[in-house]
Amino acid sequence: MKVAATEELCILLLTASCLVLISGLQLDSMPYDYYATTECVTEPQRAQYRGGIILNPDFDHSIHDWTVFGNGTIEEQVSNDGNRFIIASNRTQPLDGFSQKVQLNKGIIYTFSAWFQLSEGSDTVSVVFKTNGSELVRGGNVIAKHGCWSLLKGGIVADFSSPAEILFESENPTVEIWIDSVSLQPFTREEWRSHQDNSIERVRKSKVGFQVTHPNKTALEGATVVIKQTKTDFPFGCGMNHRILTNIEYQKWFVSRFKYTTFTNEMKWYSTENVQGQENYTIPDAMLKFTKENGVSVRGHTILWDDEKFQPEWVKSLSPDELREAATKRMNSMVSRYNGQVIAWDVMNENLHCHYFEDNLGENASAIYYSTAYHLDPNTMMFMNEYNTIAYSGEKVASPANYIRKLKEIQQFQGTDGISLAIGVQGHFSSGVPNLAYMRSSLDLLAATGLPIWLTEVTVDPSPDQAEHLEEILREGYSHPSVQGIIMFVGPAQAGFTSTPLADENFLNTPIGDAVDKLISEWGTGTQTAIADRRGIVDISLHHGDYDITVTHPLTQSSKKLNISVGKAFSQEIIHVKMQA
């Protein structure tokens, strides 16, 4: 029999806004998943959203509504405890197996989930939507195994209206594919935005109450409470390059908006040691001095890069022993120099797609350098930083499952006990409509690790709808409970950010800049004025951060000032303010 999700399980797995009703009652229609795991489990959950638009999602009616695609056969199986699922066998091609036809409608966001098992070994299984006769649109994948069930979570955003056939792809046609608990749930954009707004209200804000009284503790009706936010808690920042050192307008533009940054190139190895043995940290030192003077926190990017083409030219000709010595020297020099001065380190950049150091120094190269960086700077978060994990639903190399597998290798390596690991997903999106269903599903899976997640290099390729797409991506990241920071790799055109410019050559806002400024304003409380009711109470919902509060007596105009910090633990707290007569 299939396992039913519970509220307790939902909380343990760190999923978002998971309103689960027990004992077979219908799940809430929120698209945040009630169950997210990359573990292989003995029994699958029931189909999410009762299957959505999928017919016979839990196979309670044998193989009814499911058909064979390509070659092979499908049949129902029943486990020893009575759980029903179906098997695709006698396959000869990757897409051979079971299928079901659905109607997709343009502009609708579809979340997908299903549980998979293989008859032997392990392989990547993908969900594929076959449309317009032959077009194949991939909606995510999972590493399925023999002996336990793995959860595939993903989805698509339809840019067409047409019938579609849901297929399942495994490159190994000799294995049987087992499937259970299939769900495809549609959401309108209005529903999706409503869910984001509700999540932001729960995750990024807290309700605060002020009770204003006379010295005799009676309510002071009509008191004015002015609430001014002085600092936001959520790190939202922008990439920075060396041109800020000599461009006053760039400096003014940046510090008026952002308190978090990543140097786009200036800390990289090819920038600080272009010639072997000649280290030069002049530029990053000057940039770090500028950020300190202006209260801007910096992510350290990057100590090493696992892509061969981005090594300094002199590195590429080194022997393995020479490379090991050079990389160790680079690690010690870089991390020791900026120990305690950055809030994070991208330790081994893109070490899923690339493996230059592993190829030359052994399969544990990444783990060794994470351990080294940790011991050099033990109080700073150490990030994996990878692309396509949340942006591309056809990604296999850097899928959430493979990302987490690499994280575990680092966590289990000798010398990393106590390391503060974190998840960095770059977020480089193409020019099409962003696949928010896949993005959210990927974040849900990564969140099941319990590690902090940052969007580290958000960009969107140019298109007429670039500003709209960037806003959608940023809003999706901000609304997810496990995302703890966002850095965009964008900026003003005059500083060379021409693909995703926030300002033109004269530092006037582009439409993209307008979208970002709107979010900065929306994600901060700003200054608000409220009047105490007859009970002397003001109730207000505030974004997490620091505030200056001024309370003014309605008759004497005497005032009292206080400072508060609002965070997750602040919810529903009453602040008592006693005014003088």
Side-chain angles (χ1 to χ4, degrees), residues 286-305:
M287 292 175 69
L288 197 59
K289 180 175 182 292
F290 169 79
T291 57
K292 287 179 182 177
E293 291 172 348
N294 289 278
V296 177
S297 298
V298 178
R299 295 185 72 259
H301 175 75
T302 175
I303 305 173
L304 295 173
W305 198 340

Side-chain angles (χ1 to χ4, degrees), residues 106-122:
K106 186 174 182 178
I108 299 298
I109 300 170
Y110 294 88
T111 63
F112 177 86
S113 62
W115 293 83
F116 290 91
Q117 188 172 165
L118 299 182
S119 59
E120 59 182 80
S122 66

Side-chain angles (χ1 to χ4, degrees), residues 116 134 338 413 468:
F116 290 91
S134 60
Y338 298 123
F413 186 76
E468 176 186 345

Side-chain angles (χ1 to χ4, degrees), residues 5 8 36 74 90 124 161 204 208 253 277 285 290 309 318 321 333 426 460 505 534 537 546 564 571:
E8 181 181 9
I74 63 173
N90 302 313
T124 298
S161 291
R204 307 297 178 201
V208 181
W253 177 89
D285 283 352
F290 169 79
K309 67 177 178 286
L318 299 179
D321 287 342
S333 174
Q426 294 179 8
V460 180
E505 292 288 344
R534 60 182 178 81
I537 288 180
D546 296 342
I564 64 171
S571 182

Side-chain angles (χ1 to χ4, degrees), residues 200-429:
I200 289 170
E201 191 68 29
R202 290 188 301 273
V203 175
R204 307 297 178 201
K205 302 173 74 175
S206 292
K207 293 187 182 298
V208 181
F210 296 89
Q211 184 169 43
V212 188
T213 62
H214 292 283
N216 63 5
K217 298 184 180 181
T218 60
L220 182 52
E221 182 178 3
T224 300
V225 180
V226 177
I227 303 163
K228 180 181 180 182
Q229 188 173 35
T230 57
K231 179 185 177 183
T232 61
D233 264 6
F234 186 83
F236 180 51
C238 183
M240 177 191 294
N241 65 33
H242 66 277
R243 300 185 191 189
I244 205 162
L245 297 175
T246 55
N247 191 323
I248 301 298
E249 290 302 311
Y250 184 11
Q251 294 176 7
K252 292 178 180 177
W253 177 89
F254 192 99
V255 300
S256 68
R257 288 170 172 80
F258 303 111
K259 292 298 181 184
Y260 293 86
T261 193
T262 301
F263 302 163
T264 54
N265 284 295
E266 287 75 10
M267 281 188 173
K268 292 172 181 172
W269 198 0
Y270 57 67
S271 296
T272 62
E273 194 179 2
N274 189 44
V275 176
Q276 185 174 13
Q278 297 181 20
E279 293 183 325
N280 187 343
Y281 289 97
T282 303
I283 291 176
D285 283 352
M287 292 175 69
L288 197 59
K289 180 175 182 292
F290 169 79
T291 57
K292 287 179 182 177
E293 291 172 348
N294 289 278
V296 177
S297 298
V298 178
R299 295 185 72 259
H301 175 75
T302 175
I303 305 173
L304 295 173
W305 198 340
D306 228 351
D307 190 335
E308 180 175 8
K309 67 177 178 286
F310 291 115
Q311 308 304 322
E313 282 301 316
W314 59 269
V315 167
K316 299 175 185 178
S317 61
L318 299 179
S319 69
D321 287 342
E322 291 170 335
L323 175 62
R324 182 177 291 105
E325 181 181 353
T328 300
K329 179 174 176 289
R330 157 69 177 176
M331 176 76 62
N332 287 320
S333 174
M334 179 76 164
V335 182
S336 298
R337 187 180 193 89
Y338 298 123
N339 181 316
Q341 299 184 66
V342 296
I343 61 172
W345 284 114
D346 291 332
V347 179
M348 180 71 85
N349 202 39
E350 298 172 358
N351 59 342
L352 288 173
H353 282 102
C354 311
H355 34 79
Y356 176 74
F357 288 92
E358 283 78 4
D359 289 345
N360 286 277
L361 303 180
E363 61 180 5
N364 288 325
S366 285
I368 289 170
Y369 289 120
Y370 274 88
S371 175
T372 302
Y374 163 56
H375 287 286
L376 289 169
D377 194 359
N379 298 317
T380 300
M381 286 193 297
M382 303 289 166
F383 277 78
M384 276 183 58
N385 190 47
E386 193 54 83
Y387 63 91
N388 280 355
T389 304
I390 63 170
Y392 177 47
S393 58
E395 178 64 40
K396 293 183 179 179
V397 173
S399 66
N402 277 331
Y403 194 114
I404 293 169
R405 176 188 54 78
K406 192 70 172 182
L407 276 175
K408 288 181 177 179
E409 289 179 6
I410 296 168
Q411 287 176 314
Q412 294 166 3
F413 186 76
Q414 186 177 3
T416 60
D417 288 346
I419 188 172
S420 182
L421 271 180
I423 295 170
V425 284
Q426 294 179 8
H428 295 296
F429 286 78

